[in-house]
Amino acid sequence: MKHIRFFQFSSFVISLSLLVSPLSANDSYIFIDKEFSNIAEVIAEISAWDSNPNSPLREFNQYVLENNSIALKDTILEILAYAEDVVEKQQNKISQQQLDNINDSLDILANQVHNGDLAIDNYSRAPHGRRGPRGDRGHRGHTGGTGATGATGATGAGITGATGATGQTGAIGNTGATGATGNTGATGATGNTGATGATGATGAAGPGQARADRRPEAPRDPR
């Protein structure tokens, strides 16, 4: 009887080993053939980003190329976890659309493995029926509202810097408009009466006065 090789981790971060053994009733196996899932295609895409020459993803690719179609369930789950770590390191190097697509594929594969969609009956060795076509992807939900602004942090204990040099004096501004004329002030108090002036000289006598002052002449003697 032909033996089937299965993947099994010998060290999660170092390498994988391929075992040649018959099916065991104590282990769970799944189909990795492209007829049942796209795990080989997804892992092949992610392995191109893995720089580890002994990458579990590279060994898995080789295992698939050798026409193996069955692997241990626990090993596949660890491979998917390793692949997710590789993708996370690429999140700033690939487009958001590509990142979303590859993460969605990893989530779907993990669910298929956990739910037994790819499981093999260890006694009859018959696979589950082929899964129907995948439905359309639902719309992405709206971006959530912005969270509340966090509290302002404590002021740092920095030293106040030196005072800068005084700037140049600015240009003299234009003269302002003349203000309105103020109200007339109150009349001042009456000043003191001035001193009496000196008496003026007596004026010349008038004509009438001169006749009155004249004495009548004595009559002349006719002799």
Side-chain angles (χ1 to χ4, degrees):
M1 182 179 70
K2 181 181 178 180
H3 294 289
I4 304 174
R5 294 189 302 165
F6 300 91
F7 260 128
Q8 186 173 14
F9 270 103
S10 58
S11 174
F12 175 66
V13 296
I14 300 177
S15 68
L16 296 167
S17 63
L18 298 179
L19 304 180
V20 179
S21 62
L23 291 174
S24 169
N26 297 322
D27 293 320
S28 297
Y29 299 95
I30 64 171
F31 275 99
I32 58 174
D33 189 274
K34 63 181 180 180
E35 182 180 356
F36 300 99
S37 78
N38 65 340
I39 185 171
E41 177 184 348
V42 173
I43 297 302
E45 180 179 356
I46 297 174
S47 65
W49 302 328
D50 191 1
S51 59
N52 179 8
N54 298 319
S55 166
L57 306 184
R58 295 177 185 272
E59 293 194 22
F60 177 81
N61 288 338
Q62 184 60 37
Y63 182 74
V64 172
L65 289 175
E66 294 173 358
N67 295 322
N68 291 291
S69 60
I70 298 174
L72 285 168
K73 173 182 176 180
D74 291 342
T75 299
I76 294 302
L77 288 174
E78 292 183 15
I79 289 175
L80 294 177
Y82 181 92
E84 186 176 31
D85 183 64
V86 173
V87 172
E88 184 176 355
K89 295 176 181 178
Q90 297 294 316
Q91 60 182 352
N92 295 325
K93 301 178 183 179
I94 61 178
S95 69
Q96 187 62 48
Q97 183 63 49
Q98 187 177 12
L99 182 64
D100 290 342
N101 290 341
I102 203 71
N103 280 329
D104 287 346
S105 295
L106 288 174
D107 290 342
I108 291 171
L109 287 170
N111 287 332
Q112 287 179 326
V113 174
H114 279 299
N115 296 337
D117 295 342
L118 307 177
I120 297 173
D121 187 330
N122 288 329
Y123 299 98
S124 65
R125 302 186 186 181
H128 287 261
R130 185 172 183 178
R131 190 176 186 186
R134 186 178 303 156
D136 295 331
R137 183 179 180 186
H139 295 293
R140 185 180 301 276
H142 297 297
T143 302
T146 303
T149 303
T152 303
T155 303
I159 300 173
T160 303
T163 302
T166 302
Q168 296 180 349
T169 302
I172 297 175
N174 297 328
T175 303
T178 303
T181 303
N183 297 327
T184 303
T187 303
T190 302
N192 295 328
T193 302
T196 302
T199 301
T202 301
Q209 185 67 30
R211 291 191 188 98
D213 289 341
R214 218 182 260 177
R215 292 181 180 181
E217 294 182 3
R220 291 180 181 181
D221 186 358
R223 290 182 293 178

mmCIF file with all atom_site columns, all heavy atoms in Angstrom, residues 137-149:
data_model
loop_
_atom_site.group_PDB
_atom_site.id
_atom_site.type_symbol
_atom_site.label_atom_id
_atom_site.label_alt_id
_atom_site.label_comp_id
_atom_site.label_asym_id
_atom_site.label_entity_id
_atom_site.label_seq_id
_atom_site.pdbx_PDB_ins_code
_atom_site.Cartn_x
_atom_site.Cartn_y
_atom_site.Cartn_z
_atom_site.occupancy
_atom_site.B_iso_or_equiv
_atom_site.pdbx_formal_charge
_atom_site.auth_seq_id
_atom_site.auth_comp_id
_atom_site.auth_asym_id
_atom_site.auth_atom_id
_atom_site.pdbx_PDB_model_num
ATOM 1  N N   . ARG A 1 137 ? -19.104 38.615 -1.449 1.00 0.00 ? 137 ARG A N   1
ATOM 2  C CA  . ARG A 1 137 ? -18.622 39.229 -0.226 1.00 0.00 ? 137 ARG A CA  1
ATOM 3  C C   . ARG A 1 137 ? -19.545 40.381 0.172  1.00 0.00 ? 137 ARG A C   1
ATOM 4  O O   . ARG A 1 137 ? -19.963 41.167 -0.671 1.00 0.00 ? 137 ARG A O   1
ATOM 5  C CB  . ARG A 1 137 ? -17.200 39.754 -0.428 1.00 0.00 ? 137 ARG A CB  1
ATOM 6  C CG  . ARG A 1 137 ? -16.593 40.347 0.835  1.00 0.00 ? 137 ARG A CG  1
ATOM 7  C CD  . ARG A 1 137 ? -15.191 40.818 0.561  1.00 0.00 ? 137 ARG A CD  1
ATOM 8  N NE  . ARG A 1 137 ? -14.600 41.393 1.741  1.00 0.00 ? 137 ARG A NE  1
ATOM 9  C CZ  . ARG A 1 137 ? -13.426 41.990 1.774  1.00 0.00 ? 137 ARG A CZ  1
ATOM 10 N NH1 . ARG A 1 137 ? -12.724 42.082 0.662  1.00 0.00 ? 137 ARG A NH1 1
ATOM 11 N NH2 . ARG A 1 137 ? -12.941 42.492 2.887  1.00 0.00 ? 137 ARG A NH2 1
ATOM 12 N N   . GLY A 1 138 ? -19.867 40.460 1.452  1.00 0.00 ? 138 GLY A N   1
ATOM 13 C CA  . GLY A 1 138 ? -20.725 41.541 1.929  1.00 0.00 ? 138 GLY A CA  1
ATOM 14 C C   . GLY A 1 138 ? -20.014 42.884 1.885  1.00 0.00 ? 138 GLY A C   1
ATOM 15 O O   . GLY A 1 138 ? -18.795 42.954 1.775  1.00 0.00 ? 138 GLY A O   1
ATOM 16 N N   . HIS A 1 139 ? -20.816 43.945 1.969  1.00 0.00 ? 139 HIS A N   1
ATOM 17 C CA  . HIS A 1 139 ? -20.259 45.292 1.951  1.00 0.00 ? 139 HIS A CA  1
ATOM 18 C C   . HIS A 1 139 ? -19.481 45.568 3.230  1.00 0.00 ? 139 HIS A C   1
ATOM 19 O O   . HIS A 1 139 ? -19.845 45.113 4.308  1.00 0.00 ? 139 HIS A O   1
ATOM 20 C CB  . HIS A 1 139 ? -21.373 46.331 1.820  1.00 0.00 ? 139 HIS A CB  1
ATOM 21 C CG  . HIS A 1 139 ? -22.108 46.238 0.518  1.00 0.00 ? 139 HIS A CG  1
ATOM 22 N ND1 . HIS A 1 139 ? -21.516 46.531 -0.689 1.00 0.00 ? 139 HIS A ND1 1
ATOM 23 C CD2 . HIS A 1 139 ? -23.382 45.862 0.234  1.00 0.00 ? 139 HIS A CD2 1
ATOM 24 C CE1 . HIS A 1 139 ? -22.400 46.361 -1.659 1.00 0.00 ? 139 HIS A CE1 1
ATOM 25 N NE2 . HIS A 1 139 ? -23.536 45.948 -1.132 1.00 0.00 ? 139 HIS A NE2 1
ATOM 26 N N   . ARG A 1 140 ? -18.408 46.277 3.068  1.00 0.00 ? 140 ARG A N   1
ATOM 27 C CA  . ARG A 1 140 ? -17.626 46.662 4.235  1.00 0.00 ? 140 ARG A CA  1
ATOM 28 C C   . ARG A 1 140 ? -18.409 47.682 5.061  1.00 0.00 ? 140 ARG A C   1
ATOM 29 O O   . ARG A 1 140 ? -19.033 48.586 4.513  1.00 0.00 ? 140 ARG A O   1
ATOM 30 C CB  . ARG A 1 140 ? -16.299 47.276 3.776  1.00 0.00 ? 140 ARG A CB  1
ATOM 31 C CG  . ARG A 1 140 ? -15.340 47.605 4.924  1.00 0.00 ? 140 ARG A CG  1
ATOM 32 C CD  . ARG A 1 140 ? -14.061 48.206 4.367  1.00 0.00 ? 140 ARG A CD  1
ATOM 33 N NE  . ARG A 1 140 ? -13.408 47.291 3.452  1.00 0.00 ? 140 ARG A NE  1
ATOM 34 C CZ  . ARG A 1 140 ? -12.603 46.320 3.824  1.00 0.00 ? 140 ARG A CZ  1
ATOM 35 N NH1 . ARG A 1 140 ? -12.361 46.126 5.101  1.00 0.00 ? 140 ARG A NH1 1
ATOM 36 N NH2 . ARG A 1 140 ? -12.034 45.524 2.926  1.00 0.00 ? 140 ARG A NH2 1
ATOM 37 N N   . GLY A 1 141 ? -18.407 47.520 6.359  1.00 0.00 ? 141 GLY A N   1
ATOM 38 C CA  . GLY A 1 141 ? -19.126 48.433 7.236  1.00 0.00 ? 141 GLY A CA  1
ATOM 39 C C   . GLY A 1 141 ? -18.526 49.828 7.208  1.00 0.00 ? 141 GLY A C   1
ATOM 40 O O   . GLY A 1 141 ? -17.382 50.030 6.803  1.00 0.00 ? 141 GLY A O   1
ATOM 41 N N   . HIS A 1 142 ? -19.346 50.800 7.635  1.00 0.00 ? 142 HIS A N   1
ATOM 42 C CA  . HIS A 1 142 ? -18.877 52.177 7.682  1.00 0.00 ? 142 HIS A CA  1
ATOM 43 C C   . HIS A 1 142 ? -17.801 52.341 8.750  1.00 0.00 ? 142 HIS A C   1
ATOM 44 O O   . HIS A 1 142 ? -17.783 51.634 9.753  1.00 0.00 ? 142 HIS A O   1
ATOM 45 C CB  . HIS A 1 142 ? -20.037 53.120 7.998  1.00 0.00 ? 142 HIS A CB  1
ATOM 46 C CG  . HIS A 1 142 ? -21.104 53.118 6.944  1.00 0.00 ? 142 HIS A CG  1
ATOM 47 N ND1 . HIS A 1 142 ? -20.883 53.530 5.658  1.00 0.00 ? 142 HIS A ND1 1
ATOM 48 C CD2 . HIS A 1 142 ? -22.413 52.719 6.988  1.00 0.00 ? 142 HIS A CD2 1
ATOM 49 C CE1 . HIS A 1 142 ? -21.989 53.411 4.950  1.00 0.00 ? 142 HIS A CE1 1
ATOM 50 N NE2 . HIS A 1 142 ? -22.928 52.913 5.732  1.00 0.00 ? 142 HIS A NE2 1
ATOM 51 N N   . THR A 1 143 ? -16.935 53.281 8.504  1.00 0.00 ? 143 THR A N   1
ATOM 52 C CA  . THR A 1 143 ? -15.910 53.594 9.491  1.00 0.00 ? 143 THR A CA  1
ATOM 53 C C   . THR A 1 143 ? -16.564 54.155 10.742 1.00 0.00 ? 143 THR A C   1
ATOM 54 O O   . THR A 1 143 ? -17.450 54.999 10.659 1.00 0.00 ? 143 THR A O   1
ATOM 55 C CB  . THR A 1 143 ? -14.931 54.644 8.927  1.00 0.00 ? 143 THR A CB  1
ATOM 56 O OG1 . THR A 1 143 ? -14.358 54.122 7.718  1.00 0.00 ? 143 THR A OG1 1
ATOM 57 C CG2 . THR A 1 143 ? -13.827 54.956 9.919  1.00 0.00 ? 143 THR A CG2 1
ATOM 58 N N   . GLY A 1 144 ? -16.151 53.675 11.881 1.00 0.00 ? 144 GLY A N   1
ATOM 59 C CA  . GLY A 1 144 ? -16.726 54.126 13.136 1.00 0.00 ? 144 GLY A CA  1
ATOM 60 C C   . GLY A 1 144 ? -16.398 55.586 13.418 1.00 0.00 ? 144 GLY A C   1
ATOM 61 O O   . GLY A 1 144 ? -15.475 56.156 12.826 1.00 0.00 ? 144 GLY A O   1
ATOM 62 N N   . GLY A 1 145 ? -17.175 56.174 14.309 1.00 0.00 ? 145 GLY A N   1
ATOM 63 C CA  . GLY A 1 145 ? -16.952 57.573 14.662 1.00 0.00 ? 145 GLY A CA  1
ATOM 64 C C   . GLY A 1 145 ? -15.627 57.763 15.370 1.00 0.00 ? 145 GLY A C   1
ATOM 65 O O   . GLY A 1 145 ? -15.085 56.846 15.991 1.00 0.00 ? 145 GLY A O   1
ATOM 66 N N   . THR A 1 146 ? -15.094 58.957 15.257 1.00 0.00 ? 146 THR A N   1
ATOM 67 C CA  . THR A 1 146 ? -13.825 59.274 15.914 1.00 0.00 ? 146 THR A CA  1
ATOM 68 C C   . THR A 1 146 ? -14.018 59.269 17.423 1.00 0.00 ? 146 THR A C   1
ATOM 69 O O   . THR A 1 146 ? -14.978 59.831 17.938 1.00 0.00 ? 146 THR A O   1
ATOM 70 C CB  . THR A 1 146 ? -13.329 60.661 15.462 1.00 0.00 ? 146 THR A CB  1
ATOM 71 O OG1 . THR A 1 146 ? -13.210 60.658 14.040 1.00 0.00 ? 146 THR A OG1 1
ATOM 72 C CG2 . THR A 1 146 ? -11.990 60.991 16.091 1.00 0.00 ? 146 THR A CG2 1
ATOM 73 N N   . GLY A 1 147 ? -13.123 58.631 18.108 1.00 0.00 ? 147 GLY A N   1
ATOM 74 C CA  . GLY A 1 147 ? -13.209 58.569 19.557 1.00 0.00 ? 147 GLY A CA  1
ATOM 75 C C   . GLY A 1 147 ? -12.985 59.925 20.203 1.00 0.00 ? 147 GLY A C   1
ATOM 76 O O   . GLY A 1 147 ? -12.483 60.857 19.573 1.00 0.00 ? 147 GLY A O   1
ATOM 77 N N   . ALA A 1 148 ? -13.386 60.016 21.467 1.00 0.00 ? 148 ALA A N   1
ATOM 78 C CA  . ALA A 1 148 ? -13.219 61.272 22.199 1.00 0.00 ? 148 ALA A CA  1
ATOM 79 C C   . ALA A 1 148 ? -11.738 61.608 22.342 1.00 0.00 ? 148 ALA A C   1
ATOM 80 O O   . ALA A 1 148 ? -10.893 60.727 22.453 1.00 0.00 ? 148 ALA A O   1
ATOM 81 C CB  . ALA A 1 148 ? -13.866 61.156 23.585 1.00 0.00 ? 148 ALA A CB  1
ATOM 82 N N   . THR A 1 149 ? -11.441 62.899 22.314 1.00 0.00 ? 149 THR A N   1
ATOM 83 C CA  . THR A 1 149 ? -10.055 63.342 22.479 1.00 0.00 ? 149 THR A CA  1
ATOM 84 C C   . THR A 1 149 ? -9.581  63.037 23.879 1.00 0.00 ? 149 THR A C   1
ATOM 85 O O   . THR A 1 149 ? -10.282 63.278 24.858 1.00 0.00 ? 149 THR A O   1
ATOM 86 C CB  . THR A 1 149 ? -9.957  64.861 22.230 1.00 0.00 ? 149 THR A CB  1
ATOM 87 O OG1 . THR A 1 149 ? -10.456 65.137 20.919 1.00 0.00 ? 149 THR A OG1 1
ATOM 88 C CG2 . THR A 1 149 ? -8.524  65.340 22.342 1.00 0.00 ? 149 THR A CG2 1
#
